[in-house]
Amino acid sequence: MKPHQQSPDPSNRAVSACLERAELFFEGKRKRLTPIRRRVLEILLAQGCAMTAYKILDQLKADGKAPHPPVAYRALDFLVEFGFVHKIEHLNAYVACTHPHAHHAPAFMICRLCDKVTETASPASTDMMQRLARETGFVVEETILEAVGICPDCCDDAGVAPST
């Protein structure tokens, strides 16, 4: 995994806007976006890539907070439950959602060289899973697709032609 190029920048306007939307969303749900939950979301938004819970903990410690691992995992579980964060099973890491709390079936493109994660929509895979579910009598509650390959930046670096 390549090291992170920059520290999270809480002054970033896009990050600030996402955090404001999250706060309004949770107020409407009568849920608390505690300082730790907010900071975890801020870290993921600012970092712009998948991070393990321990890397998030390291960032919290660098901020002068020293929570134990369960604190970070509870914050992540809360943010996943409400659709602001996705867990990337392949990496055992977390990434901020690009369409928070909107009903969607995400597909993740994961670079096997740098671990960069790109979220896209996957309506075709959702349709296929729903069709297969009907055929088998299974009830699909969530569809998440993870594809592993090589991102455009790593293709350029390695001289590999990207898929068309």
Side-chain angles (χ1 to χ4, degrees):
M1 177 188 281
K2 289 184 182 175
H4 302 298
Q5 284 78 26
Q6 61 184 19
S7 296
D9 178 9
S11 66
N12 180 309
R13 278 188 248 169
V15 170
S16 296
C18 288
L19 289 169
E20 287 175 26
R21 285 193 302 274
E23 287 175 2
L24 290 172
F25 173 82
F26 288 116
E27 283 175 18
K29 295 283 185 188
R30 297 179 191 240
K31 299 287 183 187
R32 275 195 71 222
L33 188 60
T34 63
I36 291 290
R37 291 171 179 168
R38 185 182 198 287
R39 184 63 182 131
V40 167
L41 180 58
E42 181 180 38
I43 289 167
L44 286 170
L45 287 166
Q47 202 65 41
C49 64
M51 296 178 72
T52 65
Y54 283 96
K55 287 204 182 281
I56 293 168
L57 270 171
D58 289 344
Q59 184 64 50
L60 291 170
K61 288 175 186 171
D63 291 350
K65 299 170 179 69
H68 298 288
V71 173
Y73 279 109
R74 281 194 298 270
L76 287 164
D77 288 344
F78 176 85
L79 294 166
V80 167
E81 177 184 350
F82 287 98
F84 281 86
V85 169
H86 295 293
K87 182 171 185 190
I88 307 300
E89 296 293 336
H90 180 78
L91 300 173
N92 194 26
Y94 298 85
V95 66
C97 179
T98 59
H99 302 87
H101 63 270
H103 180 70
H104 67 289
F108 298 100
M109 304 295 154
I110 305 164
C111 180
R112 68 176 172 79
L113 299 176
C114 71
D115 289 340
K116 178 181 176 184
V117 176
T118 303
E119 179 179 352
T120 64
S122 63
S125 66
T126 302
D127 294 344
M128 179 188 69
M129 292 304 292
Q130 290 297 342
R131 183 178 51 78
L132 292 171
R134 279 191 302 276
E135 290 173 7
T136 61
F138 191 82
V139 176
V140 174
E141 295 177 340
E142 182 178 29
T143 302
I144 299 172
L145 179 65
E146 294 184 12
V148 178
I150 304 174
C151 74
D153 291 338
C154 289
C155 282
D156 290 345
D157 292 346
V160 177
S163 301
T164 56

